[in-house]
Structures are given as C-alpha cells and as structure tokens.
Amino acid sequence: STAQIGVTGLAVMGSNLARNFARNGFTVAVHNRTAAKTRALVEEFGHEGDFVAAESAKEFVDALERPRRLIVMVKAGEPTDAVIREFAPLLEPGDVVIDGGNAHFEDTRRRERELRERGIHFVGVGISGGEEGALLGPSIMPGGSPESYDALGPMLERIAAKAADGTPCTSHVGPDGAGHFVKMVHNGIEYADMQLIAEAYHLLRKVAGYSPARIAETFRTWNRGRLDSYLIEITAEVLAHVDTATGKPFVDVVADAAEQKGTGRWTVQTAMDLGVPVSGIAEAVFARAVSGHAGLRAASRGLAGPSAQPLAGEAADAFAAKVEQALYASKIVSYTQGFHQIRAGSEEYGWGIDLGAVASLWRGGCIIRAAFLDRIRAAYDARPDLPGLLADAGFAQEIGAAQDDWRAVVAAAVAGGIPVPAFAASLSYYDALRAERLPAALTQGQRDFFGAHTYRRTDREGSFHTLWSGDRTETTA
Ligand code: NBP
C-alpha cells in the first residue's frame, strides 16, 4: 500500500483529478469499472507522476495507505450508491470516502449517515471548474467531518486553484452535505451570472444596435473594471468568434435553446423549501426553460410588440454605460440572494458555514471566479453576522449609485419589448427590500377573509381575525 490517494471513475473529471494529484507529487491509485480506461490513462499520462493502476476494487483498496482516502468520480445518482456498496465492505473504520461528483446534498447527508455507522468518513466535495479546472486547479468545496478534513485538506489545498493572493481555493465548508450544498448554490449563481450577461448582450444588440464584435469589445472593457471575471472574459471570446462555415458571428448560427443539467433547478427547489427569495437565479433557470419551448415560441412569434429603432452614436454608447451599471447592480443582487440561501441552509442543517470563507474559495478555479468575490469576503470578514450583502455599506453605496441607470435600462427593455427577466427581478427584489411598506398587508387581509388565517397588527401584539362574513368586528385569535 503506497498510494496516498485513490480515484475511482476515470471519465474526464476523474482522470484529470488523478493527474492533478500525480502532478503535485502524490502517488495515486487509479481504478475504473471498465478497466481498459485505467490502462489507457496510465499509458497516456503515466509519465506525469506516480500512478498505481488497479484492475479490481480489492486491488484498488489494497493499494491505498491507511487511513485510506478514495475519491469516487462517477456519474452522480445511482452509480455513486453502486460504487459505495461495492467499496464499503472492503474499507475499515477511519477510512475516508470522497464523492467528487455533482451529488444532491440530501443524498450526501444520507450517505454520510450510513457510512458513519460503520466508522467511515464520507466527504461530499463540490468541485467546480470543469475539465480544465480538475486538471489545473479547481475550486474545491469539501463537506464532511472536521477529522476527515485533517486527513484530506492538505492534499486538496495542494491541487486546488490559488487565488491571486496565493490562498488555495478550498477550505472545510461544514459537516455532511455542506460542501455539495455550497456547490449547488455556486451553480445557481452561475446560472444567474450567465443570464444577466445574456440580457446585457441582448440589450446592447437590440437597443444600442451594437454588432457582436462591438459587444465583445464592450465586454473586454468591462472586464478591466469591477466586472472582471471569468464569465465576462469568455463572453467576449464567444462573441468575437466567427463561424468558419458561414462567416457569420458564431452567436448567430447557434440554436437559441439553452440546456441544463439540473443544479440550477436544485438551487431554486431548495430555496423554495427554505423560503429564501432567489428570484434572479429562478428567472435564470426559467429563461433557459422558455428558450427550449420551440413550439410555443413559434406559435407566439406573431404576437404584437412595440416597434423600436436601435439607438446610434453617442446615445448608444451612453446606453451601453448604463447597461454596465444595471449588470453590476443585478449581480450584487444575485450574490445577495445566493449567500442568503447558504446562510439559510447552514442554519437549517446546523452547518456553521463561514460565508466569507465561501466567497474566498470561489475566487479561483471555479466558473464564477471574479474580482468581486474579494469584496464579498471583506464584507463578511468585517461583519460575520451581516444580515445580507446589501447591508454592507460598500455594496449599498454602489448599488445606490447604479440604481438610476438600472431603472433606465429595465425601462428601455420594457419599452423596446426585450425580455430582461433577471434584470427586472433583481431590481424588484432591491425595491422590495427597500420598501417602507409592502402590499403583503393586503395579502394577509385576503387570507384572513377567505381562510380565517389571521393577521398581526402594526400597533399591538397578538393574532387577530376579522369576522368578514359577520359584522366585521375584530377578534383576538
Ligand atoms: P460521468 O458523469 O460521465 O461518469 C462516467 C463514469 O462513471 C465512468 O467512469 C463510468 O465507468 C462510471 N460509472 C457509471 Br456511468 N456507472 C457506474 C457504476 N454503476 N459503477 C461504477 N462506475 C460507474 O463522468 P464525468 O463527466 O467525468 O463526471 C464525473 C462526476 O463529476 C459527475 O458526478 C459529474 O456531475 C461531476 N462533475 C462534472 C463536471 C464536468 O465538467 N464534466 C464538473 C464538475 C463535476 P465506465 O467507464 O465503466 O462506464
């Protein structure tokens, strides 16, 4: 037994993660259900470091130093359970089983509980950064017991991405499903970021009348400012790309139906259960859904809309500057909502998640990496009990400075008939938080009217009910 870590499941993610460990000087046992893949990996990349190829589960487990550390990198769902069923009988108390797949956090909680009974640490790890991240340094979100982090953390810190200040983009998130929960919300925020960028693009195209090449330039400029992020950077690349077959902008030859693998949907479903308003993320998930309903869209194409001419010259450029403000303000809202969800999950499951540390480990390696995350970390470091990001003086000041332009952009979208579900939902969330009074008072009245659901008053303690079908006197409930 010579290997410090093992990886089972050698599709693209598992192979690249195994190579990342090997390139960082660890001896890595590798295993895959179909053994040909194991052999192929070692043949092709064996020169990169020390690999121990294992044909059988037994050989794999025997190759590992104790306590064993084995990473399961198979398709999420039933395959993960199948692999756990296969390996668990071969393991000993103190061993650490790591699930690096995109598991639902509830599955991770269940698996952790089951393996804990056998004295085995089960660590659900969120990994972001795609194939390239797995190989060159992902952002890693480990859950599981603190003891398991003692055994595993230093290795993860070696292979993780490093933020600009050199800090590894990983830290112990919290027990059982905390890591996969945070990865899930990361993906939800990723959906929102992508949707906001898409809306900004659409507005620049339709309202400002910019070409894709010009928009690519605009995003490049924005990427040098406060929006500096991986997603803005790749957006400029995609928009500047020209299709070789037709000579048209690439973005004009791609079918406009966005697909999804489900983590955005999980974020919204979980937010519903927790009662957390993640309207920006939800609109992003729904926007993909709308795009995919080709038949409905075709049948609706003749519906009436405004006739609007694109702007030109200085007016177009002035509008583009406002879009930057709207994008930044909406982005603050998405992160406000996502971090609210993490806080709510942490409270619900008793995870004790440090929100500043989460912002910190997203600074490199992952899809939503951005300069902006340094700001979020600073806000939570300064005040760990911050009720929300908008309660931070810095963010409040910035969003306040952006709000006039943000409104102008949403108004222009509405006037021009351009869908901006995430921009608009984010602005409404901002206005809802700001409002002195919300119409929820009326909702409570309606609920009391038809269902005797009772209400509280602004001026007295207690629950009240009005006898709506009687003489309308008020009773104490
Ligand atoms: P896949 O999700 O395509 O899974 C393929 C692997 O699962 C192969 O090694 C396959 O073995 C193994 N497998 C299956 Br399928 N059923 C199995 C079973 N019953 N028993 C044992 N092994 C089984 O691989 P991936 O795209 O590398 O992703 C791995 C995990 O990482 C997934 O959970 C994914 O959601 C997550 N993830 C992916 C990305 C990404 O960018 N792709 C990013 C972050 C996380 P075989 O070779 O014998 O068929």
Side-chain angles (χ1 to χ4, degrees):
S1 48
T2 52
Q4 290 142 298
I5 191 128
V7 179
T8 182
L10 300 176
V12 56
M13 289 296 288
S15 298
N16 281 358
L17 213 57
R19 290 172 59 198
N20 188 348
F21 277 110
R23 289 161 148 210
N24 275 286
F26 296 109
T27 302
V28 190
V30 284
H31 172 264
N32 191 64
R33 177 177 63 179
T34 312
K37 265 192 207 162
T38 313
R39 287 191 289 270
L41 172 71
V42 175
E43 260 163 45
E44 196 173 353
F45 301 107
H47 63 276
E48 291 184 340
D50 294 331
F51 293 96
V52 181
E55 296 266 325
S56 69
K58 174 89 173 52
E59 249 181 84
F60 180 60
V61 166
D62 287 344
L64 296 169
E65 243 176 51
R66 289 176 213 178
R68 299 181 180 89
R69 287 172 283 242
L70 58 124
I71 303 189
V72 181
M73 233 25 227
V74 301
K75 205 177 173 72
E78 174 47 32
T80 305
D81 284 311
V83 170
I84 292 171
R85 276 197 301 275
E86 184 182 4
F87 281 96
L90 305 172
L91 299 176
E92 291 168 305
D95 287 349
V96 185
V97 176
I98 301 121
D99 175 17
N102 264 335
H104 192 285
F105 75 97
E106 293 281 15
D107 285 335
T108 303
R109 282 166 59 74
R110 169 179 58 78
R111 290 167 183 146
E112 195 275 339
R113 219 169 28 241
E114 290 167 3
L115 288 175
R116 199 189 325 134
E117 284 168 14
R118 301 168 168 234
I120 296 167
H121 296 284
F122 183 75
V123 182
V125 177
I127 300 181
S128 178
E131 299 177 28
E132 195 179 288
L135 182 63
L136 302 175
S139 169
I140 311 179
M141 293 150 253
S145 65
E147 303 89 286
S148 65
Y149 194 80
D150 292 342
L152 187 66
M155 298 181 75
L156 297 182
E157 287 165 20
R158 283 267 285 281
I159 68 149
K162 307 296 179 287
D165 64 5
T167 317
C169 295
T170 187
S171 58
H172 185 227
V173 174
D176 61 77
H180 275 139
F181 187 94
V182 164
K183 170 63 173 20
M184 174 186 77
V185 177
H186 164 284
N187 284 29
I189 293 175
E190 172 187 313
Y191 274 54
D193 262 345
M194 291 171 69
Q195 176 63 21
L196 293 171
I197 290 171
E199 290 177 16
Y201 152 75
H202 203 181
L203 287 161
L204 292 176
R205 191 96 193 248
K206 293 287 182 184
V207 180
Y210 282 8
S211 68
R214 178 80 196 273
I215 301 171
E217 262 322 301
T218 305
F219 277 111
R220 275 195 194 110
T221 310
W222 291 356
N223 201 39
R224 289 194 287 272
R226 59 190 179 171
L227 284 167
D228 175 7
S229 63
Y230 172 72
L231 280 170
I232 294 280
E233 179 192 327
I234 66 161
T235 300
E237 296 285 326
V238 173
L239 286 171
H241 185 57
V242 174
D243 176 52
T244 37
T246 59
K248 289 183 183 164
F250 169 79
V251 71
D252 287 348
V253 299
V254 176
D256 62 346
E259 295 173 9
Q260 53 183 312
K261 288 212 249 166
T263 44
R265 185 175 66 233
W266 288 351
T267 308
V268 179
Q269 286 170 332
T270 304
M272 296 265 188
D273 293 338
L274 293 168
V276 180
V278 293
S279 47
I281 298 170
E283 289 295 354
V285 175
F286 285 137
R288 291 196 194 188
V290 168
S291 77
H293 285 285
L296 186 60
R297 288 176 60 195
S300 310
R301 217 149 264 147
L303 292 173
S307 54
Q309 285 301 310
L311 302 167
E314 279 176 22
D317 296 345
F319 181 74
K322 290 181 182 170
V323 173
E324 193 270 347
Q325 297 277 356
L327 178 54
Y328 187 69
S330 302
K331 184 177 168 84
I332 294 175
V333 167
S334 298
Y335 283 72
T336 299
Q337 295 181 342
F339 276 85
H340 183 182
Q341 183 166 358
I342 295 174
R343 172 180 294 262
S346 181
E347 283 168 6
E348 173 73 18
Y349 299 104
W351 285 328
I353 297 176
D354 175 341
L355 298 177
V358 170
S360 184
L361 63 78
W362 286 346
R363 290 181 303 158
C366 65
I367 306 297
I368 65 170
R369 61 186 182 260
F372 180 70
L373 287 156
D374 267 324
R375 301 275 319 282
I376 297 181
R377 185 184 64 161
Y380 282 112
D381 283 354
R383 213 183 136 191
D385 68 338
L386 198 66
L389 274 186
L390 293 178
D392 173 73
F395 283 119
Q397 192 277 327
E398 281 184 309
I399 207 164
Q403 60 111 20
D404 280 339
D405 286 346
W406 193 11
R407 293 180 197 287
V409 166
V410 171
V414 171
I418 314 295
V420 285
F423 273 18
S426 302
L427 179 54
S428 282
Y429 173 87
Y430 174 74
D431 283 332
L433 286 192
R434 272 187 339 101
E436 193 64 47
R437 294 273 298 157
L438 288 171
L442 176 59
T443 308
Q444 283 298 81
Q446 293 165 324
R447 294 179 69 246
D448 190 60
F449 190 105
F450 66 66
H453 291 303
T454 76
Y455 50 88
R456 285 177 295 111
R457 295 182 57 101
T458 55
D459 52 357
R460 272 179 282 143
E461 287 296 310
S463 290
F464 301 91
H465 169 57
T466 289
L467 300 170
W468 294 104
S469 50
D471 64 0
R472 306 207 166 175
T473 55
E474 185 171 78
T475 61
T476 314

